[in-house]
Structures are given as C-alpha cells and as structure tokens.
Amino acid sequence: MSTYHKVSRLGKIISLVKNNIGISQAEIMKGLFPDVDSNPKSKRTLERDIAAIRNELFIPIDYNHSLQGYIIDDSALNETYEFLKLVEFANVGKLLQDGKTDLRKFSDIVELDDSSIFKGIDLVKIIVTAIQQKQNIQFKHINYWEGSEKEYSITPLKIKEYLNRWYVIGVPHKMNEIRTFGIDRLKDLTITSGKTVKYKDFEDQLNNFHNIIGLNFNEGDGKTKLIKLKVYHKHLKYLQSLPLHRSQKIEWEIGDEHGIASYRVVPNYELKIQILKMHCFAEVLEPLELREEIKVMLQEALDQY
C-alpha cells in the first residue's frame, strides 16, 4: 500500500482517538472502514497501525482499562498536532495528483487566498534536501523594513509554516542560537558543504516554538504564562473550530453570555495581534500585565480616529 494511504489512515486513527477519549477498537474500525463489516483482516490492520503510531511516530496511544478504550497521552499534544497538520497537506496533495482533478478548472472550484502563493515556494525543496542531507545553505536575506540585503550561511534544522508563509529555522555560521528566515525573502540560495551543527544540540531551542503563537519566543522573559480570555459565546465557536494554539481550552456553560478561553503560551506580539483581532468579543482577564498592555494598544488605536 502507498505511503499516502498509510499516512492518511494513521492520521484518521489519531484524530478519532484525540477527539473521542476512550474510543473502543470497534468504534475506531467503524470510523476507518464504515462500509466494511468487522473482520480479522481489518482488525489486524488496526493493530499494526496502532503499533506504527507508537513506534514510528512516537505518539503514545494506549488502551485505558478504566475507560475501556484508547487514549493519547497529553504529553504528546505537540507531536499529535504536527502530524495531523502534515496529513492535511498530504490530503491536498493527493487531491491534485490522483488524476481526477482538472487543473485547468481547479481555480474555478477552489479559491485560494492571495497570501497562500508567494515568492520562494520553489526554494522549499532545496532546503528540505539540505536538511535531509545534513548540509548548509547560503543565501541573501532581504530586510523589507530597512530595504537592505545581508548574506547568511546557516545549518537548516526545520521548516515552519505560519499564516500561509513558510520559514526556515537554522543556526547561522559562528552562532549558537537559532534564527528564523522567511523563505519569500531569500535570494541566491545554494546548498554548501562545511561543518554543520547537530540537531539535538538545539532541540531545546526548537521546542520553544511549541509554546508560542507564531515565530517570536524571545519577547519579555520568554516564559510561558497562563492566559485567560473572557470571550463572547458566539465567538467561542470560531475559536473551537480554529484554535489560536494547541494548548487552548474552552470553558462555557449552555446559556452563558461568555465563556473562558485559556492558553499556556509566551505572551508575544502574535498573541497580542490575535487578541486585538477579536476586539469587543474578547477581554483579557489574566495576566494583569497583558491586560494593561492590550488596553494601551486599544487606546492608541482609538487615538488614530
């Protein structure tokens, strides 16, 4: 069976368990094979898939005897989220490659946001190749604000997507801290030889991205904090369908005018922008310093009118 079909199936199992705590084996099989009666073959396939999720993806999916069903440990939240995002991309790719989509009419069926197509998309493959082959890359980085260019040589460690933009995360030559570069701002990119850094030496820094919205984790003291927002109940539905962060938790009782959306993140610039986007539908409750900062930003915006 193709890699795509396996990845897609594993993603469906993970999604079923993540969204249905304590789901039984029979329920998982029904979700996977809705038109096929339970049989030993499909049962063995499910058992192999669960073993692959544990051993190949390192996502701890286990049978919980008290719930009489499967669960995924909360410690694997980051890995689970990232894998499901990859499955989304794979599904879109399959749509375009399965031969059933007329590419000439594709734009009539699917309207993409203008920001989803950007300069530099052709560089992604080169950067991925460099990461896989443990090689360096060299490029000129364009600073839009200052209108300047600067040459860099880095060991690329990871590619990150945020708001329909792609970024390469790596360690510049003679530095010991990771940096993030927008791929749409790179020019004259080439793969180069030379000494590279080890991924494991920068794993702690890379893990900081799990604790932020966006790209900036060095703001303030850089520590994660409990953020609590009082949100109008109708807007909570939007947050539930498109969470601001994987740590999001919603507390709301039927009939209440407002609910509480909480996050454990570094209160960086991107978080503040997301709060401002909700304007009158959200109020910062905690921490107090963030509440005051948002109040100042709102007043400064009002002063422009």
Side-chain angles (χ1 to χ4, degrees):
M1 183 170 287
S2 70
T3 299
Y4 165 77
H5 285 101
K6 179 178 178 180
V7 168
S8 182
R9 197 174 61 248
L10 297 185
K12 194 165 186 178
I13 293 171
I14 291 170
S15 182
L16 284 168
V17 177
K18 177 177 175 288
N19 295 314
N20 302 276
I21 298 172
I23 187 172
S24 68
Q25 186 181 77
E27 290 169 328
I28 296 175
M29 290 173 63
K30 186 175 181 180
L32 286 175
F33 315 107
D35 301 321
V36 179
D37 291 334
S38 178
N39 61 70
K41 184 178 179 181
S42 58
K43 183 178 179 180
R44 287 195 297 272
T45 299
L46 176 59
E47 291 170 348
R48 285 195 298 269
D49 286 344
I50 290 176
I53 292 169
R54 290 195 198 103
N55 302 325
E56 297 176 28
L57 303 178
F58 305 104
I59 294 175
I61 179 173
D62 291 297
Y63 185 82
N64 184 290
H65 291 282
S66 62
L67 295 175
Q68 296 186 336
Y70 287 89
I71 62 170
I72 292 177
D73 194 285
D74 287 344
S75 64
L77 189 63
N78 294 324
E79 292 81 358
T80 303
Y81 178 86
E82 290 171 355
F83 182 75
L84 291 178
K85 286 289 289 184
L86 287 173
V87 172
E88 286 182 16
F89 284 116
N91 286 336
V92 173
K94 184 63 168 59
L95 172 68
L96 297 175
Q97 292 181 344
D98 65 5
K100 297 177 182 179
T101 302
D102 185 343
L103 297 181
R104 292 170 300 177
K105 297 180 179 179
F106 186 71
S107 61
D108 295 331
I109 302 170
V110 178
E111 182 168 336
L112 299 174
D113 188 85
D114 291 342
S115 64
S116 64
I117 300 176
F118 68 99
K119 179 182 176 183
I121 188 68
D122 53 310
L123 303 180
V124 171
K125 184 176 180 180
I126 299 174
I127 297 170
V128 169
T129 298
I131 294 173
Q132 291 175 330
Q133 297 179 354
K134 294 181 171 56
Q135 292 181 298
N136 294 318
I137 57 173
Q138 185 173 308
F139 54 82
K140 291 178 182 175
H141 180 254
I142 304 169
N143 187 313
Y144 291 154
W145 188 263
E146 297 180 1
S148 61
E149 296 180 5
K150 184 176 180 179
E151 192 164 298
Y152 285 91
S153 177
I154 74 169
T155 298
L157 300 176
K158 184 175 285 192
I159 286 181
K160 178 177 175 63
E161 180 265 343
Y162 177 63
L163 294 181
N164 296 325
R165 283 288 184 267
W166 290 89
Y167 300 83
V168 56
I169 305 167
V171 182
H173 183 55
K174 293 184 179 180
M175 291 183 64
N176 59 5
E177 291 184 350
I178 61 175
R179 289 280 304 276
T180 304
F181 302 89
I183 292 177
D184 59 318
R185 304 183 191 184
L186 308 186
K187 61 182 290 188
D188 301 335
L189 184 144
T190 58
I191 294 178
T192 60
S193 58
K195 186 177 180 181
T196 59
V197 302
K198 295 180 179 179
Y199 183 96
K200 66 178 183 179
D201 292 339
F202 293 87
E203 200 161 5
D204 288 343
Q205 290 189 42
L206 291 169
N207 285 339
N208 285 327
F209 285 104
H210 296 322
N211 302 321
I212 62 170
I213 293 172
L215 305 167
N216 302 302
F217 54 79
N218 286 324
E219 294 186 30
D221 57 15
K223 295 181 179 179
T224 60
K225 296 180 180 179
L226 176 62
I227 313 296
K228 284 191 175 184
L229 307 178
K230 179 181 176 183
V231 182
Y232 181 55
H233 71 98
K234 290 186 177 179
H235 193 78
L236 282 174
K237 296 177 182 179
Y238 293 98
L239 292 179
Q240 288 173 327
S241 64
L242 189 63
L244 296 184
H245 187 261
R246 62 199 73 176
S247 67
Q248 175 177 286
K249 292 183 179 180
I250 302 290
E251 299 174 40
W252 178 71
E253 296 291 337
I254 296 177
D256 287 351
E257 190 75 2
H258 296 84
I260 303 297
S262 61
Y263 307 86
R264 283 201 173 275
V265 294
V266 176
N268 62 358
Y269 173 77
E270 285 95 338
L271 170 67
K272 296 164 192 172
I273 291 299
Q274 292 297 333
I275 294 173
L276 292 173
K277 284 181 180 179
M278 291 186 278
H279 50 95
C280 65
F281 296 125
E283 175 189 352
V284 178
L285 299 180
E286 297 179 23
L288 291 179
E289 59 267 25
L290 177 62
R291 178 184 174 88
E292 290 302 314
E293 191 169 354
I294 292 296
K295 185 189 297 185
V296 170
M297 295 174 77
L298 287 169
Q299 186 58 57
E300 289 176 346
L302 184 60
D303 290 342
Q304 301 296 317
Y305 294 88

Short mmCIF file of all heavy atoms in Angstrom, two decimals, residues 123 126-127 130 136-142 149-156 167-173 179-192:
data_model
loop_
_atom_site.label_atom_id
_atom_site.label_comp_id
_atom_site.label_asym_id
_atom_site.label_seq_id
_atom_site.Cartn_x
_atom_site.Cartn_y
_atom_site.Cartn_z
N LEU A 123 11.97 27.26 -3.43
CA LEU A 123 13.17 27.02 -2.61
C LEU A 123 12.94 25.96 -1.53
O LEU A 123 13.90 25.44 -0.97
CB LEU A 123 13.61 28.32 -1.93
CG LEU A 123 13.92 29.51 -2.86
CD1 LEU A 123 14.33 30.72 -2.04
CD2 LEU A 123 15.01 29.15 -3.86
N ILE A 126 14.72 22.63 -2.08
CA ILE A 126 16.18 22.72 -1.89
C ILE A 126 16.52 22.69 -0.41
O ILE A 126 17.45 22.00 0.02
CB ILE A 126 16.72 24.02 -2.54
CG1 ILE A 126 16.43 24.03 -4.03
CG2 ILE A 126 18.22 24.16 -2.28
CD1 ILE A 126 16.79 25.34 -4.71
N ILE A 127 15.74 23.44 0.39
CA ILE A 127 16.01 23.50 1.83
C ILE A 127 15.75 22.15 2.49
O ILE A 127 16.55 21.69 3.33
CB ILE A 127 15.15 24.60 2.49
CG1 ILE A 127 15.53 25.97 1.92
CG2 ILE A 127 15.33 24.60 4.00
CD1 ILE A 127 14.58 27.08 2.33
N ALA A 130 18.64 19.92 1.81
CA ALA A 130 19.79 20.26 2.64
C ALA A 130 19.62 19.71 4.06
O ALA A 130 20.58 19.20 4.66
CB ALA A 130 19.99 21.77 2.67
N ASN A 136 24.73 22.60 4.70
CA ASN A 136 24.45 24.00 4.96
C ASN A 136 23.78 24.63 3.75
O ASN A 136 23.82 24.09 2.63
CB ASN A 136 25.73 24.76 5.28
CG ASN A 136 26.37 24.31 6.58
OD1 ASN A 136 25.68 24.08 7.57
ND2 ASN A 136 27.68 24.16 6.59
N ILE A 137 23.19 25.80 3.94
CA ILE A 137 22.70 26.60 2.83
C ILE A 137 23.22 28.02 2.98
O ILE A 137 23.49 28.49 4.08
CB ILE A 137 21.15 26.62 2.74
CG1 ILE A 137 20.54 27.14 4.06
CG2 ILE A 137 20.61 25.24 2.40
CD1 ILE A 137 19.02 27.34 3.97
N GLN A 138 23.39 28.66 1.84
CA GLN A 138 23.85 30.05 1.82
C GLN A 138 22.86 30.87 1.00
O GLN A 138 22.34 30.40 -0.01
CB GLN A 138 25.25 30.11 1.18
CG GLN A 138 25.89 31.50 1.22
CD GLN A 138 27.32 31.44 0.73
OE1 GLN A 138 28.13 30.64 1.20
NE2 GLN A 138 27.65 32.29 -0.24
N PHE A 139 22.58 32.09 1.46
CA PHE A 139 21.59 32.91 0.76
C PHE A 139 21.75 34.36 1.16
O PHE A 139 22.44 34.70 2.13
CB PHE A 139 20.16 32.44 1.10
CG PHE A 139 19.88 32.37 2.58
CD1 PHE A 139 19.52 33.52 3.31
CD2 PHE A 139 19.99 31.17 3.27
CE1 PHE A 139 19.27 33.46 4.67
CE2 PHE A 139 19.74 31.10 4.63
CZ PHE A 139 19.38 32.24 5.33
N LYS A 140 21.06 35.22 0.42
CA LYS A 140 20.94 36.63 0.79
C LYS A 140 19.54 36.82 1.35
O LYS A 140 18.56 36.40 0.73
CB LYS A 140 21.16 37.53 -0.42
CG LYS A 140 22.59 37.52 -0.93
CD LYS A 140 22.74 38.39 -2.17
CE LYS A 140 24.16 38.34 -2.71
NZ LYS A 140 24.28 39.11 -3.99
N HIS A 141 19.47 37.47 2.52
CA HIS A 141 18.17 37.70 3.17
C HIS A 141 17.79 39.16 2.99
O HIS A 141 18.56 40.08 3.30
CB HIS A 141 18.26 37.36 4.66
CG HIS A 141 16.97 37.57 5.39
ND1 HIS A 141 16.77 38.62 6.24
CD2 HIS A 141 15.80 36.87 5.36
CE1 HIS A 141 15.55 38.56 6.74
NE2 HIS A 141 14.94 37.52 6.23
N ILE A 142 16.58 39.38 2.49
CA ILE A 142 16.09 40.74 2.23
C ILE A 142 15.35 41.25 3.46
O ILE A 142 14.43 40.60 3.96
CB ILE A 142 15.14 40.75 1.02
CG1 ILE A 142 15.84 40.17 -0.21
CG2 ILE A 142 14.64 42.16 0.74
CD1 ILE A 142 14.90 39.90 -1.37
N GLU A 149 19.95 44.02 2.15
CA GLU A 149 20.20 42.59 1.99
C GLU A 149 21.43 42.21 2.80
O GLU A 149 22.38 42.98 2.90
CB GLU A 149 20.45 42.23 0.52
CG GLU A 149 19.27 42.46 -0.39
CD GLU A 149 19.57 42.08 -1.84
OE1 GLU A 149 20.69 41.56 -2.08
OE2 GLU A 149 18.72 42.31 -2.71
N LYS A 150 21.40 40.99 3.39
CA LYS A 150 22.53 40.50 4.15
C LYS A 150 22.75 39.03 3.82
O LYS A 150 21.79 38.27 3.72
CB LYS A 150 22.30 40.67 5.65
CG LYS A 150 23.49 40.27 6.51
CD LYS A 150 23.22 40.55 7.98
CE LYS A 150 24.41 40.14 8.85
NZ LYS A 150 24.17 40.42 10.29
N GLU A 151 24.01 38.65 3.65
CA GLU A 151 24.32 37.28 3.29
C GLU A 151 24.48 36.41 4.54
O GLU A 151 25.09 36.83 5.53
CB GLU A 151 25.59 37.22 2.45
CG GLU A 151 25.83 35.86 1.80
CD GLU A 151 26.85 35.93 0.68
OE1 GLU A 151 26.59 36.63 -0.32
OE2 GLU A 151 27.90 35.28 0.82
N TYR A 152 23.91 35.21 4.48
CA TYR A 152 23.98 34.27 5.60
C TYR A 152 24.42 32.90 5.11
O TYR A 152 24.10 32.50 3.97
CB TYR A 152 22.61 34.12 6.28
CG TYR A 152 22.18 35.28 7.13
CD1 TYR A 152 21.44 36.32 6.57
CD2 TYR A 152 22.50 35.34 8.49
CE1 TYR A 152 21.02 37.39 7.35
CE2 TYR A 152 22.08 36.40 9.27
CZ TYR A 152 21.34 37.42 8.69
OH TYR A 152 20.92 38.48 9.47
N SER A 153 25.09 32.19 5.99
CA SER A 153 25.35 30.76 5.81
C SER A 153 24.83 30.09 7.07
O SER A 153 25.26 30.42 8.17
CB SER A 153 26.84 30.49 5.63
OG SER A 153 27.07 29.09 5.53
N ILE A 154 23.87 29.15 6.92
CA ILE A 154 23.27 28.53 8.09
C ILE A 154 23.18 27.02 7.92
O ILE A 154 23.21 26.50 6.80
CB ILE A 154 21.85 29.09 8.36
CG1 ILE A 154 20.85 28.54 7.33
CG2 ILE A 154 21.84 30.60 8.37
CD1 ILE A 154 19.39 28.81 7.67
N THR A 155 23.08 26.34 9.05
CA THR A 155 22.68 24.94 9.03
C THR A 155 21.17 24.91 9.22
O THR A 155 20.68 25.25 10.29
CB THR A 155 23.36 24.14 10.17
OG1 THR A 155 24.77 24.16 10.02
CG2 THR A 155 22.88 22.68 10.13
N PRO A 156 20.40 24.53 8.20
CA PRO A 156 18.94 24.50 8.35
C PRO A 156 18.52 23.29 9.19
O PRO A 156 19.03 22.19 9.01
CB PRO A 156 18.44 24.38 6.91
CG PRO A 156 19.54 23.67 6.20
CD PRO A 156 20.83 24.12 6.86
N TYR A 167 8.89 29.38 6.60
CA TYR A 167 10.12 29.90 7.20
C TYR A 167 11.12 28.76 7.38
O TYR A 167 10.72 27.62 7.65
CB TYR A 167 9.82 30.54 8.56
CG TYR A 167 8.84 31.68 8.50
CD1 TYR A 167 7.46 31.44 8.50
CD2 TYR A 167 9.27 33.00 8.44
CE1 TYR A 167 6.55 32.48 8.41
CE2 TYR A 167 8.36 34.05 8.37
CZ TYR A 167 7.00 33.78 8.35
OH TYR A 167 6.11 34.81 8.27
N VAL A 168 12.38 29.09 7.22
CA VAL A 168 13.43 28.12 7.52
C VAL A 168 14.06 28.52 8.85
O VAL A 168 14.38 29.69 9.08
CB VAL A 168 14.49 28.04 6.40
CG1 VAL A 168 15.12 29.40 6.11
CG2 VAL A 168 15.58 27.02 6.78
N ILE A 169 14.19 27.53 9.73
CA ILE A 169 14.79 27.75 11.04
C ILE A 169 16.16 27.09 11.02
O ILE A 169 16.29 25.91 10.67
CB ILE A 169 13.94 27.14 12.16
CG1 ILE A 169 12.51 27.68 12.11
CG2 ILE A 169 14.56 27.42 13.53
CD1 ILE A 169 11.54 26.91 12.97
N GLY A 170 17.18 27.84 11.39
CA GLY A 170 18.53 27.28 11.37
C GLY A 170 19.48 28.04 12.25
O GLY A 170 19.11 29.01 12.91
N VAL A 171 20.73 27.58 12.24
CA VAL A 171 21.77 28.20 13.07
C VAL A 171 22.80 28.85 12.15
O VAL A 171 23.49 28.16 11.39
CB VAL A 171 22.46 27.15 13.96
CG1 VAL A 171 23.51 27.82 14.85
CG2 VAL A 171 21.44 26.40 14.80
N PRO A 172 22.91 30.18 12.16
CA PRO A 172 23.92 30.86 11.33
C PRO A 172 25.34 30.48 11.72
O PRO A 172 25.61 30.14 12.88
CB PRO A 172 23.65 32.35 11.60
CG PRO A 172 22.22 32.40 12.05
CD PRO A 172 22.03 31.13 12.84
N HIS A 173 26.22 30.54 10.78
CA HIS A 173 27.64 30.22 11.00
C HIS A 173 28.22 31.07 12.13
O HIS A 173 27.98 32.27 12.19
CB HIS A 173 28.41 30.47 9.70
CG HIS A 173 29.86 30.12 9.77
ND1 HIS A 173 30.32 28.87 10.14
CD2 HIS A 173 30.97 30.86 9.52
CE1 HIS A 173 31.63 28.86 10.11
NE2 HIS A 173 32.05 30.06 9.75
N ARG A 179 17.88 30.99 14.33
CA ARG A 179 17.26 32.17 13.73
C ARG A 179 16.19 31.70 12.75
O ARG A 179 16.25 30.60 12.23
CB ARG A 179 18.31 33.00 12.98
CG ARG A 179 19.31 33.73 13.88
CD ARG A 179 18.72 35.00 14.46
NE ARG A 179 18.24 35.91 13.43
CZ ARG A 179 19.01 36.78 12.78
NH1 ARG A 179 20.31 36.86 13.06
NH2 ARG A 179 18.50 37.58 11.87
N THR A 180 15.22 32.56 12.49
CA THR A 180 14.13 32.24 11.58
C THR A 180 14.16 33.20 10.39
O THR A 180 14.26 34.41 10.58
CB THR A 180 12.78 32.34 12.30
OG1 THR A 180 12.79 31.49 13.45
CG2 THR A 180 11.65 31.93 11.39
N PHE A 181 14.06 32.64 9.18
CA PHE A 181 14.12 33.45 7.97
C PHE A 181 12.92 33.13 7.09
O PHE A 181 12.64 31.97 6.79
CB PHE A 181 15.40 33.15 7.18
CG PHE A 181 16.68 33.39 7.95
CD1 PHE A 181 17.24 32.37 8.70
CD2 PHE A 181 17.31 34.63 7.92
CE1 PHE A 181 18.42 32.57 9.41
CE2 PHE A 181 18.49 34.84 8.63
CZ PHE A 181 19.03 33.82 9.38
N GLY A 182 12.19 34.18 6.67
CA GLY A 182 11.08 33.98 5.75
C GLY A 182 11.60 33.54 4.39
O GLY A 182 12.47 34.20 3.80
N ILE A 183 11.10 32.42 3.90
CA ILE A 183 11.62 31.87 2.65
C ILE A 183 11.33 32.80 1.48
O ILE A 183 12.08 32.85 0.50
CB ILE A 183 11.05 30.46 2.42
CG1 ILE A 183 11.62 29.50 3.48
CG2 ILE A 183 11.37 29.93 1.03
CD1 ILE A 183 11.08 28.09 3.40
N ASP A 184 10.25 33.59 1.57
CA ASP A 184 9.94 34.53 0.50
C ASP A 184 10.93 35.70 0.45
O ASP A 184 10.90 36.49 -0.50
CB ASP A 184 8.52 35.06 0.64
CG ASP A 184 8.29 35.77 1.97
OD1 ASP A 184 8.76 35.27 3.00
OD2 ASP A 184 7.61 36.82 1.98
N ARG A 185 11.79 35.80 1.46
CA ARG A 185 12.77 36.89 1.50
C ARG A 185 14.18 36.42 1.14
O ARG A 185 15.14 37.17 1.32
CB ARG A 185 12.80 37.53 2.88
CG ARG A 185 11.47 38.06 3.36
CD ARG A 185 11.60 38.74 4.69
NE ARG A 185 10.30 39.02 5.28
CZ ARG A 185 10.13 39.68 6.43
NH1 ARG A 185 11.18 40.12 7.10
NH2 ARG A 185 8.92 39.88 6.90
N LEU A 186 14.31 35.18 0.67
CA LEU A 186 15.62 34.64 0.34
C LEU A 186 15.90 34.75 -1.15
O LEU A 186 15.00 34.59 -1.97
CB LEU A 186 15.72 33.17 0.76
CG LEU A 186 15.35 32.82 2.20
CD1 LEU A 186 15.64 31.35 2.47
CD2 LEU A 186 16.07 33.70 3.20
N LYS A 187 17.14 35.00 -1.49
CA LYS A 187 17.55 35.01 -2.90
C LYS A 187 18.94 34.41 -3.02
O LYS A 187 19.71 34.38 -2.06
CB LYS A 187 17.51 36.44 -3.47
CG LYS A 187 18.44 37.42 -2.79
CD LYS A 187 18.32 38.83 -3.38
CE LYS A 187 18.87 38.90 -4.78
NZ LYS A 187 18.93 40.30 -5.27
N ASP A 188 19.25 33.92 -4.20
CA ASP A 188 20.56 33.31 -4.50
C ASP A 188 20.88 32.18 -3.52
O ASP A 188 22.00 32.07 -3.01
CB ASP A 188 21.68 34.36 -4.45
CG ASP A 188 21.47 35.49 -5.44
OD1 ASP A 188 20.78 35.25 -6.45
OD2 ASP A 188 21.97 36.60 -5.19
N LEU A 189 19.89 31.33 -3.24
CA LEU A 189 20.08 30.25 -2.27
C LEU A 189 20.80 29.07 -2.92
O LEU A 189 20.45 28.63 -4.01
CB LEU A 189 18.73 29.79 -1.72
CG LEU A 189 18.78 28.72 -0.61
CD1 LEU A 189 17.68 28.98 0.42
CD2 LEU A 189 18.62 27.32 -1.19
N THR A 190 21.81 28.55 -2.22
CA THR A 190 22.55 27.38 -2.68
C THR A 190 22.88 26.48 -1.51
O THR A 190 22.96 26.92 -0.36
CB THR A 190 23.88 27.77 -3.37
OG1 THR A 190 24.67 28.54 -2.45
CG2 THR A 190 23.63 28.59 -4.63
N ILE A 191 23.03 25.19 -1.80
CA ILE A 191 23.48 24.23 -0.79
C ILE A 191 25.01 24.25 -0.77
O ILE A 191 25.65 24.23 -1.82
CB ILE A 191 22.98 22.81 -1.12
CG1 ILE A 191 21.45 22.75 -1.02
CG2 ILE A 191 23.60 21.78 -0.17
CD1 ILE A 191 20.85 21.40 -1.37
N THR A 192 25.58 24.30 0.42
CA THR A 192 27.03 24.37 0.55
C THR A 192 27.54 23.29 1.50
O THR A 192 26.78 22.76 2.31
CB THR A 192 27.48 25.75 1.08
OG1 THR A 192 26.89 25.97 2.37
CG2 THR A 192 27.06 26.85 0.13
#
